[in-house]
Structure formats: structure tokens, C-alpha cells
Amino acid sequence: MSVTRTTAALLATAGALLAEGLDGDGPLTPAGRDRGAAYALRIALETSVDAALTAEEAGLGELRSMRAKLLCLRHYAGPARARRVNALWNRLSAACKYHHDELGPTHAQVRAWRAAVETITKELSESNADVEFPQQRGTELPLREETPTV
């Protein structure tokens, strides 16, 4: 499985928004471009997670909640990678929300997130279901012998 065209297009959109510079020539302010890039990155990450779960043919691509998808991702991409995806998704989600009493994401933060999304997207697309469920690793309980009741 390779990076989908949708994900690649979203990464390119985020890159274009970040590359337009901070000179303010255009309808978007620098803060608006950074927030717009954060939106594109979050959607790219969500698309990558959807593609990874669909590729596993586990029937999990139909889940509606991203939080549920992130929980399921642990079993298909490994706990460490799933934690990175979860942390990045939470940061991007917070960056996408506008609060009048909070500062938005900085240009440097969004650039770093773009690199992280690109890396995780590649990792998820190259992931080969080599992660097993715990019960498949020999953690099942031994059978008990029944003792006759008197």
C-alpha cells in the first residue's frame, strides 16, 4: 500500500500554505495560513489512519469516531506508532480550533507537524500487519483440569 493521492494532495496543500511566506500578500493572514495548513495535515493524518485500517481488512474503516480508530490502530501499527499518531492528531485538533483567548499554532510548529505527518503517513502505508493481538502471542490461560465434586 502506498500513500494515497488524497493524502499526498493534502500534504501538498499544507506545504503550499506554509510556503507562501509571511509577507501577507493574499487573502489569508500568516496565522490563517498556519491554521489552514493544520487542518489539511489533520485530514491527511485521518486519511492515512483510514487507509491503514481498511488495508487490514478488519472492517474497521467504517468506524466514524477518530478516537475509536486510534484505539484500534494500536493492534495494527503497534502501540508506539499508535501513540505518536494519537499525540499528533490531538495537537493538530487543538490547533484547528480557534479560541479568542489562546494563541494559534506558530509557523515553526506547523512545519514540524507537517514533517511528522509525512513520516507517519509513510510508516502507516508501509506497515505490514506484523503486530499480533496479545492473545495470539501465547498469553492464553492454560486449561484447568476438572476435579470431581463429592
Side-chain angles (χ1 to χ4, degrees):
M1 177 177 77
S2 64
V3 176
T4 65
R5 274 191 264 170
T6 303
T7 305
L10 288 163
L11 288 169
T13 299
L17 284 167
L18 293 171
E20 286 188 24
L22 301 174
D23 54 2
D25 61 338
L28 292 176
T29 63
R33 283 195 292 274
D34 292 338
R35 195 174 305 275
Y39 269 108
L41 292 171
R42 187 182 79 180
I43 296 168
L45 186 62
E46 291 173 354
T47 304
S48 298
V49 170
D50 286 343
L53 292 177
T54 301
E56 295 300 331
E57 297 179 7
L60 300 173
E62 297 298 320
L63 290 174
R64 295 186 187 267
S65 165
M66 187 61 184
R67 294 202 187 273
K69 291 176 187 179
L70 291 173
L71 285 172
C72 294
L73 188 65
R74 293 184 64 223
H75 296 291
Y76 296 102
R81 188 174 294 144
R83 271 193 300 277
R84 287 179 30 228
V85 172
N86 191 15
L88 184 56
W89 184 80
N90 283 324
R91 286 185 195 118
L92 288 168
S93 293
C96 292
K97 294 178 176 66
Y98 175 78
H99 300 284
H100 70 287
D101 58 343
E102 293 179 8
L103 293 173
T106 66
H107 192 71
Q109 283 176 321
V110 181
R111 281 190 173 283
W113 292 336
R114 185 186 183 284
V117 169
E118 192 169 2
T119 300
I120 287 176
T121 298
K122 287 178 185 174
E123 289 176 9
L124 287 175
S125 69
E126 295 167 355
S127 178
N128 295 327
D130 55 353
V131 179
E132 298 176 342
F133 286 103
Q135 62 267 32
Q136 294 174 339
R137 283 189 253 156
T139 59
E140 53 280 325
L141 295 172
L143 295 175
R144 292 188 328 188
E145 293 182 24
E146 288 191 32
T147 56
T149 58
V150 189

